[in-house]
Every structure is written in C-alpha cells, then in structure tokens.
C-alpha cells in the first residue's frame, strides 16, 4: 500500500512520468510475497546462503542458466526481497530455511537493489541501439528520482551516476538481471548487436566497486565472440554444470515426495513422468547426484490431480532444437 501511494503521488506530481515496469529500483517484496501465498510453495531460500558467500567478493558475479518455468524469476524475486534495504522483509523469511544460516542477519535488507527484465526492454524497442538507450535512460531516471540530493558528475553516464550514488550512500548495489540472454535468441545472426550488448554489460558491471552482487538468469550460456568472453568475470551455473547450486535448479526428489504425500498422488507415477534430469554437484569435495523435476509439471500435476505433459506447453521442442543449433561453447 505504501508503494501504491508513492506511485500515485508521483503520477499526480509528474504527469509526464514514464512506465518503469521494465526496471525496478528498490523492487520490494511484493512478487516474492505472492509466491509465498501460493497454493504450492517449495522453500528454496537456501540459495540465499550461497549468494551471501559471494557478496562483496571477487566471486560476486553469478550467471544461472536453466530451462523456462524452472523457477528463475521466483529466485530473483526472492533475492530482491531479501537484499532490498527499502523495507523490512524479515517477516517473510523468519520461517524459511535461510533464517537459520549464520549469514542471514548480516545481509538482510542491506543493499540497494536494481531488478531488470531484459526481455521487456527488448520487446519495447526496435533494435539494439534503441534498447540500450532506453535501458540507460530508465536506470538513470530512477536513480536520480531516488537520490535527488546527490550531485552527479555526468547525468547521462550510467556508470558515473551509480558511482556517485554509491559514494554518497556507501551502500553497494545488488543487480538482478532476468532474461539476460533474450537478445541472443532474437538476434541470433547479428553478431554486431550481440557484441554491443555484451560490451554494455561489461562496462556497466565489471570491476565496479558499486556492485555487491550481480545475478543473471537466462536459458543460454554466456556468449563468446572472438577468443574471449566479454563477461568472463561471471561464474556460470547450468543444467550440465550446476556447481553447488544443483538443488535449486528445480524440485528435488525429496521435495516431490512430500508434495505427493500432501496431495495424495502416486510418487512412482510422478517419477515416471517427470524425473528427466540428473544433476551432479561437487561441494566441499563431496559428489552429489540430484534427481531434478520440472517445477511447472509437478505443480500442475498436484493442483489438477492429474499427470500430463505440462512443461512442453511452455517451451516447444522446436525452440530447444534452435538453442542447440546455436552451438555456443
């Protein structure tokens, strides 16, 4: 309600205000709260303990790639709610697994958060130049609106604006980028557009002290051009190499068993339908194999009390073939 009032006051005072749904500065906890209140919620807050280990370290750049409807956006919403210093989100997390972690209080609501959905920017523009121009302008507008008291050295330079804000607040940013790879799916053959996009991300994020954590989600691995990657500071976590994040890439077998018990569904049948992924994790010298289930399929089956092919209604096999034929390293 506070955010709604602020929005309405802003619109009344500034009739020329633009639509900022593509980018959220201090995005708050609304979307994560909706997930918590859903009929089926599986606690994946342990992911926060993993990202906390990376905050303000040289390993603060994470890129997570997995299929559609595998919980990427929900995870980003959860991270936004946890790190955002714009409001007290402790009541949302007090009963979740992360509340027992040693790092829980240290990072809770301690950072300025920028959450960007790249697909929305791409859909709203006609080419890469327009997309990057809009992204740059929207981010700067939002930062200036939030920190009007700061004297900016260059109001058109996003990196300088963020440096000036950080210098003033001493609070670094957690930057969450959803659908980061959408441009590569839309501009598969346009290497110049891809290069401009990667160069923008590198200039914005790499070696910047105002970045406490950069967390990107997508479907594809990081694109290389030439012999190097423009984003070589990122640690990649994928379905084939999930690292210590394997258990957060979908529903584990134990989680599906509990849901089947709750909804009186046959677990062996659920396994036959949806146990399609086996992820290998190495952490602390221990090798673990996770049987991973599609969250979309499991949730639909539990709610409808009927097993079916729910996931491929959101992603066609033809699209998967296109991704494979892109032949990224």
């Amino acid at each position: 309600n506070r955010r709604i009032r602020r929005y309405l006051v802003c619109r009344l005072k500034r009739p020329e205000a633009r639509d900022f749904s593509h980018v959220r500065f201090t995005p708050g906890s609304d979307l994560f709260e909706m997930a918590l209140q859903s009929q089926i919620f599986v606690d994946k807050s342990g992911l926060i303990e993993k990202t906390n280990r990376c905050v303000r370290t040289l390993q603060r750049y994470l890129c997570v790639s997995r299929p559609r409807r595998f919980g990427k956006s929900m995870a980003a919403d959860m991270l936004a709610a946890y790190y955002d210093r714009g409001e007290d989100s402790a009541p949302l997390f007090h009963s979740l697994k992360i509340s027992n972690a040693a790092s829980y209080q240290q990072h809770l609501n301690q950072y300025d958060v920028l959450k960007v959905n790249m697909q929305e920017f791409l859909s709203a523009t006609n080419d890469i130049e327009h997309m990057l121009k809009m992204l740059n302008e929207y981010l700067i507008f939002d930062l200036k609106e939030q920190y009007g008291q700061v004297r900016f050295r260059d109001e058109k330079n996003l990196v300088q604006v963020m440096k000036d804000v950080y210098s003033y607040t001493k609070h670094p940013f957690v930057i969450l980028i959803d659908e980061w790879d959408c441009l590569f799916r839309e501009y598969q053959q346009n290497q110049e557009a891809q290069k401009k996009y990667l160069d923008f991300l590198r200039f914005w994020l790499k070696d910047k002290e105002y970045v406490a954590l950069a967390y990107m989600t997508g479907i594809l691995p990081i694109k290389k051009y030439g012999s190097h990657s423009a984003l070589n500071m990122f640690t990649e976590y994928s379905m084939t190499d999930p690292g210590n994040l394997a258990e957060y890439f979908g529903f584990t077998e134990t989680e599906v068993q509990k849901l089947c018990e709750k909804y009186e569904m046959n677990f062996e049948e659920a396994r036959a339908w949806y146990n399609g992924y086996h992820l290998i994790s190495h952490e602390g010298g221990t090798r673990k194999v996770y049987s991973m289930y599609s969250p979309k399929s499991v949730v639909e089956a539990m709610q409808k009390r009927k097993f079916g092919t729910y996931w491929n209604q959101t992603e066609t096999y033809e699209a998967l073939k296109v991704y494979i034929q892109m032949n990224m390293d």
Side-chain angles (χ1 to χ4, degrees):
N1 287 338
R2 290 196 302 272
R3 275 192 296 279
I4 291 172
R5 286 196 294 270
R6 282 203 303 270
Y7 172 77
L8 290 174
V9 170
C10 177
R11 295 290 292 190
L12 288 170
K13 290 183 176 179
R14 301 180 61 89
E16 77 283 9
R18 291 171 288 178
D19 174 17
F20 284 84
S21 58
H22 314 314
V23 53
R24 299 281 303 281
F25 182 66
T26 60
S29 58
D30 289 359
L31 292 175
F32 181 58
E33 190 170 356
M34 290 181 192
L36 284 172
Q37 294 174 354
S38 297
Q39 181 180 344
I40 294 177
F41 173 79
V42 174
D43 184 355
K44 292 291 182 179
S45 64
L47 172 65
I48 298 172
E49 186 175 10
K50 307 295 186 184
T51 58
N52 280 348
R53 295 179 189 176
C54 301
V55 170
R56 307 213 72 182
T57 71
L58 296 179
Q59 291 73 46
R60 64 191 184 278
Y61 301 96
L62 287 71
C63 182
V64 178
S65 59
R66 44 182 150 158
R68 292 191 185 282
R69 306 310 300 270
F70 265 69
K72 296 189 297 294
S73 296
M74 195 284 285
D77 294 336
M78 177 180 68
L79 294 176
Y82 173 77
Y83 288 116
D84 183 8
R85 72 185 184 100
E87 61 181 74
D88 176 15
S89 60
L92 300 180
F93 292 95
H94 76 275
S95 62
L96 301 184
K97 294 175 183 177
I98 183 58
S99 64
N100 298 316
S103 64
Y104 172 63
Q105 291 291 345
Q106 179 184 353
H107 298 284
L108 177 66
N109 301 138
Q110 294 298 309
Y111 303 94
D112 284 332
V113 175
L114 284 173
K115 185 167 177 285
V116 180
N117 186 318
M118 287 295 185
Q119 182 63 62
E120 293 182 357
F121 276 97
L122 184 63
S123 299
T125 53
N126 300 318
D127 52 50
I128 183 63
E129 287 80 10
H130 188 194
M131 173 187 168
L132 295 181
K133 183 175 182 291
M134 177 184 285
L135 175 60
N136 194 76
E137 289 179 351
Y138 277 33
L139 286 167
I140 290 174
F141 184 97
D142 220 3
L143 289 164
K144 288 169 62 180
E145 185 104 316
Q146 185 75 13
Y147 291 106
Q149 68 274 37
V150 176
R151 295 182 62 187
F152 297 104
R153 292 174 174 84
D154 183 352
E155 295 186 353
K156 295 184 179 181
N157 184 320
L158 174 61
V159 169
Q160 188 58 55
V161 166
M162 292 186 68
K163 284 182 177 180
D164 291 339
V165 169
Y166 173 59
S167 178
Y168 180 85
T169 66
K170 303 303 180 184
H171 287 276
F173 290 86
V174 167
I175 299 174
L176 308 171
I177 304 176
D178 207 3
E179 301 275 3
W180 87 272
D181 60 339
C182 61
L183 182 130
F184 298 101
R185 306 196 299 269
E186 298 291 334
Y187 291 87
Q188 295 175 27
Q189 308 304 322
N190 192 336
Q191 293 189 0
E192 183 62 26
Q194 295 175 12
K195 184 177 184 301
K196 287 180 180 179
Y197 178 54
L198 289 173
D199 285 344
F200 169 83
L201 291 175
R202 177 179 57 187
F203 179 64
W204 180 28
L205 302 173
K206 188 173 183 179
D207 299 330
K208 299 301 188 292
E209 61 180 2
Y210 57 69
V211 177
L213 178 73
Y215 181 94
M216 302 198 308
T217 71
I219 297 172
L220 302 174
I222 290 176
K223 171 73 173 180
K224 296 177 176 64
Y225 60 85
S227 58
H228 303 285
S229 169
L231 302 181
N232 57 8
M233 69 283 200
F234 276 89
T235 301
E236 291 195 75
Y237 299 88
S238 66
M239 296 293 280
T240 55
D241 189 10
N244 62 356
L245 302 187
E247 62 186 292
Y248 309 109
F249 271 62
F251 288 173
T252 64
E253 196 156 81
T254 300
E255 291 164 345
V256 174
Q257 279 182 308
K258 290 180 179 178
L259 288 173
C260 286
E261 291 173 7
K262 179 178 179 179
Y263 288 91
E264 300 180 339
M265 298 286 283
N266 187 297
F267 170 68
E268 294 302 325
E269 194 170 353
R271 173 189 280 169
W273 272 92
Y274 305 129
N275 180 16
Y277 301 90
H278 298 275
L279 276 60
I280 299 174
S281 169
H282 295 87
E283 185 174 9
T286 303
R287 181 179 184 271
K288 290 185 178 181
V289 178
Y290 291 89
S291 293
M292 198 59 57
Y293 293 69
S294 160
K296 167 69 174 176
S297 297
V298 173
V299 168
E300 290 276 1
M302 297 301 114
Q303 290 179 329
K304 295 181 179 180
R305 307 298 176 92
K306 177 183 177 183
F307 296 109
T309 54
Y310 300 112
W311 179 83
N312 66 4
Q313 296 171 13
T314 67
E315 184 73 287
T316 66
Y317 297 122
E318 288 76 12
L320 296 179
K321 183 175 72 173
V322 169
Y323 299 153
I324 293 169
Q325 289 174 339
M326 292 170 74
N327 196 29
M328 293 189 174
D329 291 346

